[in-house]
Amino acid sequence: MPHPRTKSAPAAAPQATLPDREAFTALLGRKGLRVTGQRLAIYDAALAIPDHFTAEDLLDKARAIDDSVSRATVYRALPIMVEAGVIREVDVGRDHKYYIANRDVGGVKIQLVCLDCDKIIEAAAPPIMDWYGKALCAKHNMEPATQRLQVTAHCLGCDRKIAAIRAKAK
Ligand SMILES: [Zn+2]
C-alpha cells in the first residue's frame, strides 16, 4: 500500500528521557533532598529491573543493593524518578501502579497485559501505528506526544499462576 506522509513540519525533537543519573540527582537537589546511598540504590535497582515492576518489587531489589533502604524512601523516590524521566508509570488499570525504566525512547509501544496475572509485555509497534498517530494528529491540528496501544489478554495456563500468586500473598 502507498505510504502517505503528513505535510506538516516534523514534530519538535522529544526531550531526552534516557535514564539519567544526573537528571535524577539534579532533581533531588532542586527538591532540597540529599543524594544518599539509599536513593542511588533505588535508582540503580530501577534500572536493573528489565521488566515492569511495582513499588514493592523495587523495594526488594533496592534492599539487595543496600539493606538500609526503607519502604518510605522508595515511595518518595518513585515520583521523583518519574519526573526526572528515569522511569515511567505504566497504567494497566490495576489498583497498584507499575513502572518501567525508560531504556528506549521514541516509537510507539504495544503493551500486552494479562488480565489474570502480573504479566505485562511491551513491544515496539509496527511503523504504521506511528504514521497513523501522526496523520490523525495532523488532521485534527494536533501534535503527538505519546502513543500506546494496550491489548488485554489471558495467558494460556494462567489459572495456575493465579493460584501461585494467591498462595504467595497469604
Ligand atoms: Zn497471565
Side-chain angles (χ1 to χ4, degrees):
M1 65 182 271
H3 193 276
R5 292 193 173 272
T6 53
K7 296 275 196 315
S8 59
Q15 283 197 309
T17 51
L18 286 168
D20 183 350
R21 200 162 167 155
E22 299 282 303
F24 177 55
T25 56
L27 192 57
L28 285 174
R30 285 203 296 279
K31 289 181 182 295
L33 298 166
R34 282 190 306 126
V35 178
T36 60
Q38 286 95 328
R39 293 198 172 107
L40 292 179
I42 293 165
Y43 171 91
D44 290 340
L47 292 194
I49 302 173
D51 299 313
H52 298 80
F53 57 85
T54 63
E56 293 299 312
D57 295 335
L58 184 60
L59 176 64
D60 287 348
K61 193 85 181 177
R63 277 185 175 160
I65 297 169
D66 180 341
D67 62 9
S68 68
V69 171
S70 73
R71 178 172 277 110
T73 308
V74 167
Y75 277 85
R76 280 197 296 260
L78 279 166
I80 298 170
M81 288 197 291
V82 170
E83 194 179 333
V86 171
I87 59 172
R88 62 193 148 85
E89 259 182 52
V90 178
D91 183 1
V92 293
R94 301 269 167 87
D95 48 4
H96 56 278
K97 288 174 181 170
Y98 286 89
Y99 301 88
I100 191 164
N102 267 327
R103 281 184 198 83
D104 49 353
V105 285
V108 181
K109 298 277 187 291
I110 290 188
Q111 287 166 350
L112 203 53
V113 181
C114 178
L115 291 168
D116 309 314
C117 72
D118 280 333
K119 187 175 269 184
I120 305 168
I121 293 165
E122 202 162 279
I128 182 79
M129 278 195 55
D130 189 43
W131 166 79
Y132 185 67
K134 284 175 183 160
L136 204 55
C137 278
K139 189 180 162 190
H140 295 281
N141 199 27
M142 297 171 101
E143 199 171 87
T146 60
Q147 288 186 59
R148 185 181 71 186
L149 174 70
Q150 209 166 74
V151 177
T152 56
H154 299 279
C155 41
L156 300 175
C158 208
D159 49 353
R160 254 180 286 167
K161 285 175 202 151
I162 300 169
I165 288 164
R166 286 192 181 140
K168 202 177 143 190
K170 276 177 190 164

